[in-house]
Amino acid sequence: MKRILDWNKYLEKAAQTVSEGIVMLKNEGGALPLDVNETVSVFGRIQLHYYKSGTGSGGMVNVTKVTGILDGLLEAGVKINEELLEIYRKWDEENPYELGEGWGAEPWSQKEMPLDDDVVKKAASVSSKAVVIIGRTAGEEQDARAEEGSYLLTSVELDMLKKVRAHFDKVIVLLNVGGLIDLNDIESTSPDALLFVWQGGMTGGTGTADVLTGKTSPSGKLPDTIAKNVSDYPSDPYFGNKTRNCYTEDIFVGYRWFESFAKDNVLYPFGFGLSYTTFSIETSSVSGNDILTFSVKVTNTGSRKGKEVVQLYVEKPQGALGQPARVLCGFAKTKELLPDEAQDLSIVVKMSDIASYDDSGAAGEPYCWILEEGKYNFCLGSDVRSASPVFTKELPEKIVVQRCSQALAPVEDFERIKAVCSGDKLSYIKEQAPLSKVDEAKRLAEGMPAEIPYTGDKGIKLIDVRNGKNTMNEFIAQLSDHDLSCIIRGEGMGSPRVTAGTASAFGGVSDTLNEFGVPAACCSDGPSGMRLDCGTKAFSLPNGTLIASTFNRELVEELFEFMGTEMVANKVDCLLGPGMNIHRHPLNGRNFEYFSEDPYLTGHMAAAELRGLHKVGVTGTVKHFCANNQEKNRHSLDSAASERALREIYLKGYEIAVREGNADSIMTTYGAVNGLWTAGNYDLNTIVLRNEWGFKGFTMTDWWANVNYRGEEPERSFYVPMARAQNDVYMVCSDSSCVDESIMTALENGKLTRAELQRNAANILGFLLGTNALKRMEGEEDTVEIINRPDGDEISDKPVVFYDLNKKLSIDLSGVRSVKGQNYSFALTVEPAGWYKVTVTASSTQSPLAQIPITLFSMGTPSGTLTWNGTDGKPVSYTTEIPMFSRFTAMRIYFAQNGLDLHSIEFELTRTTDSMDAAFVTEED
């Protein structure tokens, strides 16, 4: 099948997503929209360095062009104060942007230009409106901090706001951030307009300009509660603990806490967001019994076109379990309505979906999803605070929705919060979280699958199973112990078996498996677009928080159909995303990848992304399963949470993604949940995911993850408990086809069975049956023609050249010449891993004062910048030292200027270290 990917339509859909995800918190005195005929002064150095995404695996997308906010305004025809802009450009050249050093070490903000009062006065003399841009990045390996330059403004940023406020009639503040930042200092300067524009990917500036100029009315809604202070979030006393993070707030995350117990601590409630117009929301009717249908009429009552989000909340009876004041249970977004235009919407709620989990037996039904007797009040509106009651359903008696078994419960004591009601007043107490009563060894033994007798090679290929000629069991019966040991180990990063520069190959990772017709499928980092470390350009998408702020399932599905088509063109089968963890605390470094503090919104956004990908035969790997809510010490951190909190908050989004989005690939986390690392957690990967939810796909670990048995120290590359837990693939290994002694020994001594490995293989192979990877192997692959893509951004069919680096290597680069904005890429097979001295030799005929820098990227991470002046045509060498700890290492030389002729690049080992320990620090998914 041939597909067409129109790059212009892709750009338009992404820009539309940005404009619909921008959340306007304030707009007073007609500050917005801007009049394109008036001159606007733009302040803040980030106008020259738009944050398209956070950093790490969730943001490392190579792009040809990023349209920042300043670019978008200029392209929209807005008159910019050029004199002020030149001041910023000159200062920016003299104060270079700081990249940081190594993986996860990027600064969260850049030094801001100090403002002279006279500069601001002069700017105000030529323009009455000022746009001030504040920027923050985010990323892996580090959390934000309640410090200046991170969660808080710097003194220079605050001084900038104060001076601009003092001289301008209208001040518009834009927050180009991955997640929440403190608003107290910003609010103290009384801006006329305040907007979270988030991180919008490569078209972020276009979508932002559409909102600022009024082409599009803002319609984004907050996916998180904005509290007055970071200490107001109920998880704050526990967040950041290096060893054991107790989820004492239990189910009371975000608005569930604030609307129940701390309304006065809220600056802006969950679901809040302004528009350039106004709307009325009226409930026409409510019908149904077990399934309720709310018919809603939305009318644009203002003078400008716009969209509105209708949000439905349920107030449950407090009962024996205790409940939050309100819980989101439905939402819908209108089309763009003209003034006086109306639209009828339907929101459907299954009563079973609003059930609560009894993890203690307090309601008389331990380990069950139940609806307690009493009144269920449904409230409709445009945010959690303003929603008003529209319907009440009373249950005369308790209903058991689903009987489960205790799973994932704590094994050590800690306290949790429980809501209690005294008259009309809701308050809380603390109680001990119920502990596990499960005999895990017995549970594992009872779940042991039956072994498929070994037959040896019968000539059955995997395609025969897909075509119905043979059964999956008949195919698996052919696989030897060694074959089974290979298939549970993914190969990467940058495996030459799949698309260059991607995160892994899995499935057909040995020649024997290939001979059986098992393809090597390809994973590429997401969720903000494909990370292709070899330098191939890809599309950079808006971040997860922005996507959630759209509250628009249909739009997100359309965007990810484009994303999926681009994946097909690049022979990528799994995008490692969407990220689905809960915004438990605003300082979590990876919140930008994730959606929301609310699991219902999280699950439905993820399901929409998956539906879009599935339309073109690719998929997303939902991650990180589960409770990855802190970056600090994430490999060793134990998240202590009650079974109820896990099921209602931290697992619920994944359940929705499985049931509503047909998720077929899941990634576990680095850390532990209640003492057991998720990569080897049978309750998580088998009892809940497969037995209760009916998941039919395959699961993978995070890259170089720890695995353990209960009570034992975690280890990396510990395949046996992983396989037994039915976490199917270990990501990643440098050579997945070699004999692994730990697996073979476990098979010999009975600590692992062939039956368990066969079960893993069935999950992996069952997934591969429906992939483009199998089609490619069989010559049936879909093709994609990309039209309207910018020159220099095309996908190359030329394979990336691999060189063998064994302690020392010299590569001839004669004929390679620097072209500004372009890359030269190649790959290395590294043995041994370690630190290497890298020497680049080049020449230039430009003047002695010319500055011609190149940046070396190793596995997508900037590893050093070397700068030449004119050399009178003579070769000059510069040296840096970089870590190279992945066996397959993609290298990229980025050229910032023209005019440099490369001669050679040389590598020489300086010191070795344990490759996996180093990879643990420098390269992670």
Side-chain angles (χ1 to χ4, degrees):
M1 178 178 178
K2 183 176 181 179
R3 302 180 186 275
I4 302 295
L5 176 57
D6 188 331
W7 203 256
N8 286 341
K9 290 183 179 179
Y10 199 177
L11 290 166
E12 290 170 5
K13 188 60 62 178
Q16 181 188 351
T17 304
V18 172
S19 63
E20 288 205 25
I22 288 173
V23 180
M24 185 165 70
L25 301 179
K26 291 179 67 175
N27 187 30
E28 298 172 353
L32 289 173
L34 300 174
D35 184 339
V36 295
N37 294 315
E38 63 183 333
T39 299
V40 176
S41 293
V42 182
F43 292 88
R45 84 169 299 181
I46 211 66
Q47 66 183 289
L48 303 174
H49 302 283
Y50 177 74
Y51 286 123
K52 66 179 176 61
S53 67
T55 64
S57 59
M60 297 170 68
V61 181
N62 300 315
V63 297
T64 299
K65 178 185 178 183
V66 175
T67 301
I69 296 169
L70 178 65
D71 305 316
L73 290 172
L74 290 169
E75 291 175 5
V78 175
K79 295 179 181 179
I80 299 297
N81 182 341
E82 290 288 343
E83 183 176 351
L84 177 63
L85 177 56
E86 284 306 311
I87 291 173
Y88 271 101
R89 283 175 173 157
K90 185 175 186 299
W91 184 88
D92 190 67
E93 289 178 2
E94 296 169 351
N95 296 269
Y97 185 94
E98 185 182 352
L99 290 173
E101 296 182 3
W103 182 268
E106 300 86 351
W108 282 58
S109 65
Q110 296 293 317
K111 182 171 70 172
E112 186 54 77
M113 184 182 84
L115 270 180
D116 187 282
D117 209 52
D118 290 338
V119 170
V120 185
K121 284 182 182 179
K122 190 168 184 181
S125 70
V126 298
S127 56
S128 62
K129 289 185 178 179
V131 172
V132 183
I133 306 174
I134 304 292
R136 295 289 187 272
T137 190
E140 287 185 77
E141 280 299 316
Q142 59 173 327
D143 292 310
R145 299 170 298 281
E147 301 171 359
E148 288 192 10
S150 185
Y151 189 69
L152 307 178
L153 293 187
T154 65
S155 58
V156 179
E157 288 171 332
L158 180 56
D159 182 69
M160 171 177 62
L161 285 170
K162 288 179 176 178
K163 286 177 177 174
V164 172
R165 174 72 283 175
H167 295 290
F168 277 82
D169 292 337
K170 301 296 180 187
V171 178
I172 299 148
V173 177
L174 307 179
L175 302 177
N176 173 207
V177 294
L180 301 183
I181 67 170
D182 183 78
L183 296 185
N184 285 302
D185 282 344
I186 296 172
E187 294 273 11
S188 72
T189 65
S190 301
D192 301 284
L194 175 60
L195 297 89
F196 271 98
V197 301
W198 309 117
Q199 296 164 340
M202 62 189 288
T203 62
T206 302
T208 303
D210 285 347
V211 167
L212 296 179
T213 60
K215 179 180 178 181
T216 301
S217 182
S219 60
K221 304 291 183 177
L222 284 175
D224 299 316
T225 304
I226 301 180
K228 292 179 179 178
N229 299 289
V230 71
S231 59
D232 293 328
Y233 292 91
S235 58
D236 188 65
Y238 319 100
F239 181 83
N241 189 297
K242 288 185 177 181
T243 54
R244 188 168 185 248
N245 193 329
C246 292
Y247 286 41
T248 298
E249 74 281 2
D250 207 55
I251 63 170
F252 295 96
V253 179
Y255 72 84
R256 286 168 165 81
W257 166 266
F258 290 107
E259 298 305 306
S260 302
F261 312 121
K263 283 188 173 184
D264 291 342
N265 293 342
V266 175
L267 277 178
Y268 296 98
F270 176 88
F272 179 82
L274 298 175
S275 171
Y276 293 147
T277 189
T278 56
F279 300 92
S280 67
I281 300 173
E282 302 173 286
T283 304
S284 303
S285 64
V286 181
S287 60
N289 188 21
D290 295 335
I291 300 176
L292 303 176
T293 300
F294 291 78
S295 298
V296 183
K297 182 179 181 181
V298 182
T299 304
N300 184 343
T301 57
S303 59
R304 303 180 70 96
K305 62 184 180 180
K307 295 185 177 184
E308 177 63 303
V309 177
V310 178
Q311 301 165 39
L312 183 67
Y313 296 86
V314 62
E315 298 175 343
K316 305 180 189 180
Q318 286 299 315
L321 297 181
Q323 302 289 350
R326 289 182 170 181
V327 173
L328 182 71
C329 61
F331 64 87
K333 193 167 191 175
T334 67
K335 65 180 182 178
E336 190 170 64
L337 299 176
L338 297 173
D340 298 323
E341 186 179 6
Q343 182 180 358
D344 293 323
L345 299 174
S346 291
I347 299 177
V348 177
V349 179
K350 296 178 181 178
M351 289 297 294
S352 58
D353 286 345
I354 62 173
S356 302
Y357 190 79
D358 185 354
D359 64 355
S360 67
E365 299 291 348
Y367 321 130
C368 290
W369 288 96
I370 64 171
L371 292 164
E372 291 191 85
E373 64 272 19
K375 292 181 179 179
Y376 288 77
N377 299 315
F378 292 88
C379 304
L380 203 65
S382 58
D383 63 67
V384 68
R385 183 70 58 87
S386 67
S388 58
V390 295
F391 178 74
T392 297
K393 180 177 178 63
E394 186 164 5
L395 295 182
E397 58 184 8
K398 176 176 57 187
I399 297 175
V400 176
V401 172
Q402 183 184 3
R403 296 192 181 276
C404 303
S405 56
Q406 190 182 41
L408 296 169
V411 295
E412 294 183 50
D413 287 331
F414 71 95
E415 288 186 320
R416 68 170 177 184
I417 284 171
K418 179 180 179 180
V420 292
C421 196
S422 177
D424 293 332
K425 185 178 181 181
L426 191 63
S427 59
Y428 66 89
I429 59 172
K430 287 187 178 180
E431 65 176 13
Q432 289 295 317
L435 299 182
S436 176
K437 300 178 181 179
V438 173
D439 184 333
E440 292 176 329
K442 180 181 178 183
R443 172 170 283 180
L444 190 64
E446 290 174 345
M448 187 69 65
E451 183 175 330
I452 303 169
Y454 178 61
T455 62
D457 188 354
K458 294 293 186 181
I460 303 169
K461 307 298 182 186
L462 187 60
I463 192 68
D464 296 327
V465 179
R466 192 199 71 177
N467 293 340
K469 183 178 176 181
N470 295 95
T471 67
M472 181 62 80
N473 280 6
E474 289 172 332
F475 178 83
I476 290 174
Q478 303 175 107
L479 303 182
S480 67
D481 288 355
H482 178 61
D483 296 330
L484 294 170
S485 78
C486 292
I487 206 168
I488 68 167
R489 291 177 285 158
E491 183 174 272
M493 294 181 67
S495 170
R497 296 180 182 274
V498 290
T499 300
T502 52
S504 74
F506 68 93
V509 293
S510 72
D511 292 342
T512 302
L513 288 170
N514 289 161
E515 291 168 4
F516 277 119
V518 179
C522 179
C523 289
S524 177
D525 267 333
S528 298
M530 288 181 292
R531 170 188 173 189
L532 303 169
D533 281 343
C534 61
T536 301
K537 302 296 192 299
F539 200 103
S540 175
L541 296 169
N543 73 10
T545 302
L546 187 153
I547 285 172
S549 300
T550 69
F551 278 71
N552 191 332
R553 297 177 181 88
E554 294 77 16
L555 174 62
V556 173
E557 184 174 328
E558 290 168 3
L559 177 64
F560 274 78
E561 184 175 355
F562 281 103
M563 174 77 249
T565 307
E566 187 192 5
M567 289 168 61
V568 174
N570 284 274
K571 298 179 173 57
V572 170
D573 304 292
C574 290
L575 185 72
L576 298 178
M580 293 189 61
N581 292 103
I582 296 299
H583 292 178
R584 176 179 178 239
H585 192 279
L587 297 186
N588 180 20
R590 272 184 116 162
N591 278 348
F592 80 99
E593 291 187 51
Y594 306 146
F595 294 115
S596 170
E597 68 186 24
D598 180 74
Y600 182 88
L601 177 60
T602 292
H604 282 271
M605 289 294 102
E609 290 189 9
L610 291 172
R611 286 193 295 269
L613 296 175
H614 293 168
K615 283 182 178 180
V616 292
V618 296
T619 196
T621 299
V622 296
K623 63 181 189 180
H624 300 87
F625 190 58
C626 65
N628 188 71
N629 304 302
Q630 176 181 309
E631 286 299 289
K632 186 176 184 179
N633 211 38
R634 58 181 175 159
H635 295 271
S636 304
L637 183 67
D638 181 19
S639 294
S642 75
E643 185 183 5
R644 183 182 181 190
L646 289 169
R647 288 181 178 273
E648 290 193 23
I649 305 295
Y650 301 103
L651 290 171
K652 178 56 71 173
Y654 293 96
E655 182 179 3
I656 293 170
V658 170
R659 297 185 188 276
E660 303 290 334
N662 294 315
D664 51 8
S665 176
I666 291 179
M667 180 196 296
T668 51
T669 72
Y670 281 131
V673 172
N674 292 323
L676 190 60
W677 267 250
T678 61
N681 194 316
Y682 184 81
D683 275 7
L684 179 67
N685 292 287
T686 297
I687 298 298
V688 174
L689 177 62
R690 295 183 184 277
N691 295 358
E692 292 184 12
W693 298 352
F695 177 75
K696 301 299 183 184
F698 87 109
T699 53
M700 63 178 75
T701 70
D702 207 334
W703 268 228
W704 306 288
N706 285 322
V707 193
N708 77 322
Y709 286 118
R710 172 76 69 188
E712 296 183 8
E713 288 298 310
E715 303 175 42
R716 289 190 299 280
S717 304
F718 195 9
Y719 309 120
V720 177
M722 176 205 79
R724 302 198 76 192
Q726 213 171 170
N727 194 357
D728 301 303
V729 177
Y730 189 86
M731 294 292 191
V732 285
C733 307
S734 60
D735 183 357
S736 302
S737 63
C738 67
V739 174
D740 183 84
E741 295 298 337
S742 66
I743 297 175
M744 294 306 170
T745 300
L747 286 171
E748 291 172 5
N749 61 28
K751 290 186 176 180
L752 179 66
T753 67
R754 270 182 58 83
E756 289 168 307
L757 288 178
Q758 288 172 333
R759 181 173 59 186
N760 298 135
N763 295 334
I764 300 162
L765 294 167
F767 172 86
L768 289 171
L769 287 179
T771 63
N772 289 323
L774 183 59
K775 289 182 179 180
R776 289 194 297 272
M777 175 170 268
E778 298 299 321
E780 306 168 353
E781 68 176 301
D782 293 351
T783 60
V784 176
E785 180 185 355
I786 301 179
I787 60 175
N788 297 319
R789 191 167 185 165
D791 292 339
D793 212 13
E794 298 86 0
I795 298 170
S796 174
D797 291 329
K798 183 179 179 181
V800 173
V801 177
F802 269 83
Y803 297 92
D804 291 324
L805 171 54
N806 190 343
K807 297 184 179 180
K808 195 170 183 178
L809 173 68
S810 178
I811 300 174
D812 183 6
L813 298 181
S814 300
V816 177
R817 185 174 176 82
S818 69
V819 178
K820 183 177 180 179
Q822 296 296 306
N823 299 280
Y824 180 79
S825 303
F826 56 93
L828 303 169
T829 303
V830 181
E831 181 64 37
W835 287 80
Y836 281 79
K837 180 175 71 174
V838 182
T839 301
V840 181
T841 302
S843 62
S844 175
T845 57
Q846 294 193 8
S847 76
L849 297 180
Q851 298 179 34
I852 315 171
I854 69 168
T855 299
L856 299 175
F857 285 78
S858 174
M859 300 302 289
T861 300
S863 301
T865 298
L866 307 174
T867 302
W868 279 256
N869 304 111
T871 68
D872 198 24
K874 297 176 182 178
V876 173
S877 300
Y878 290 104
T879 298
T880 188
E881 188 178 51
I882 65 175
M884 302 178 72
F885 300 128
S886 178
R887 184 187 177 205
F888 308 118
T889 297
M891 294 293 303
R892 175 162 57 94
I893 304 173
Y894 173 76
F895 303 115
Q897 297 292 341
N898 299 325
L900 195 67
D901 293 300
L902 273 64
H903 295 251
S904 65
I905 183 168
E906 298 177 354
F907 299 85
E908 185 174 1
L909 181 68
T910 57
R911 62 188 188 277
T912 62
T913 187
D914 180 80
S915 62
M916 291 313 293
D917 282 344
F920 179 96
V921 174
T922 61
E923 296 177 311
E924 290 154 344
D925 180 67

